[in-house]
Amino acid sequence: MTPIDLNADLGEGFGRWRLTDDEQLLSVVTSANVACGFHAGDAATMRRVCELAAERGVRIGAQVSYRDLAGFGRRAMDVPPDELAAEVAYQIGALEVFARAAGSCVSYVKPHGALYNRVVHDEEQAAAVVEGVLLADGALPVLGLPSSRFLKLAEQAGLPTAMEAFADRAYTEQGTLVPRTQADAVITDAETVVERSLGLARFGMVTSRSGARIPVRARSLCLHGDTPGAVDLARLVRTRLESSGVHVKAFA
């Protein structure tokens, strides 16, 4: 059975405001997608999360986004490719400073929110994100949705790639995520999330919103940190995976 990585979006605060329970989630996950200041996060938050992750041996990933603090990076934006590439490299570089200071490093890159969904199909925006990763570090692995343009272009550019799945998000029959603007896009029932996690990790399958069984081969499983009861749910998922014989291990 292929090992599974557990990743979560962390550092999603700004100033005195905090959205995620970073310390508790870092005791569960194996990879931390750290907000780099464009959709959330600030210098002090990035530094704190990097230090906590390094202490626990959790891999640090740069979660790059459109420049959209007000919309939490979830609003559609049209950014010129050269500008987007520069902003992706900028975010990775900023996080790398704090990761290095903590005795670790940025181990991978994952887009966030609207950018994540955009680069599934948009060739130009996907190419710009790949260019930004190459500007920052030509050997950084990238994490994304299976069959996305982003992963295909990254692979063509020589970047290591890893596919990811979501146990707490509804899927279409095409294997893409149901937009958050639609009803039931986020799954909150704990037992359902656990069962979907087991299905993804053990069999590479998930049930779409229409009830169809679709293949989703993934090396990493995302556990959202901004949902109610996120920490308890993450612990439950990891416990059930390990008790079912699934080896939980970082992908990068």
Side-chain angles (χ1 to χ4, degrees):
M1 191 181 301
T2 303
I4 194 77
D5 169 64
L6 296 180
N7 77 77
D9 302 345
L10 301 178
E12 291 186 327
F14 193 82
R16 297 179 63 185
W17 173 72
R18 292 188 184 182
L19 178 62
T20 51
D21 189 341
D22 300 324
E23 187 166 3
Q24 294 302 315
L25 283 168
L26 283 166
S27 68
V28 180
V29 300
T30 46
S31 297
N33 317 316
V34 184
C36 299
F38 273 39
H39 75 279
D42 53 32
T45 301
M46 286 192 284
R47 181 180 183 182
R48 175 178 54 81
V49 175
C50 284
E51 289 173 348
L52 289 171
E55 288 173 4
R56 291 161 173 74
V58 175
R59 299 293 189 271
I60 296 170
Q63 187 161 46
V64 298
S65 169
Y66 286 126
R67 188 190 293 270
D68 182 26
L69 272 176
F72 197 60
R74 288 180 176 162
R75 298 186 293 188
M77 303 183 77
D78 290 313
V79 180
D82 58 342
E83 184 177 328
L84 179 58
E87 291 188 341
V88 166
Y90 178 92
Q91 292 175 77
I92 297 169
L95 187 64
E96 179 68 17
V97 169
F98 299 115
R100 291 285 182 186
S104 185
C105 65
V106 171
S107 295
Y108 65 95
V109 177
K110 174 185 172 178
H112 166 82
L115 182 59
Y116 185 97
N117 292 318
R118 182 77 171 266
V119 299
V120 171
H121 303 295
D122 192 310
E123 185 94 8
E124 185 177 68
Q125 295 283 279
V129 176
V130 171
E131 181 185 347
V133 176
L134 291 171
L135 278 172
D137 185 331
L140 273 177
V142 297
L143 186 61
L145 206 65
S147 302
S148 65
R149 295 307 304 159
F150 173 52
L151 289 192
K152 288 183 178 179
L153 291 175
E155 189 173 44
Q156 291 171 11
L159 294 173
T161 61
M163 295 182 289
E164 139 176 84
F166 297 79
D168 61 355
R169 290 293 306 277
Y171 277 82
T172 68
E173 288 190 15
Q174 292 72 42
T176 58
L177 301 179
V178 173
R180 283 179 176 266
T181 53
Q182 297 185 21
D184 302 322
V186 179
I187 299 167
T188 56
D189 179 73
E191 192 56 37
T192 301
V193 173
V194 169
E195 289 303 316
R196 287 166 69 88
S197 299
L198 289 169
L200 286 162
R202 298 181 65 189
F203 309 112
M205 299 291 292
V206 71
T207 302
S208 72
R209 189 167 63 170
S210 66
R213 293 283 288 168
I214 57 174
V216 179
R217 299 289 179 183
R219 176 63 179 83
S220 186
L221 187 64
C222 181
L223 302 173
H224 282 103
D226 59 347
T227 53
V231 173
D232 289 338
L233 180 57
R235 286 181 178 142
L236 180 61
V237 167
R238 178 156 186 170
T239 297
R240 290 282 290 276
L241 285 172
E242 292 179 330
S243 65
S244 298
V246 177
H247 182 38
V248 177
K249 179 182 178 182
F251 76 91

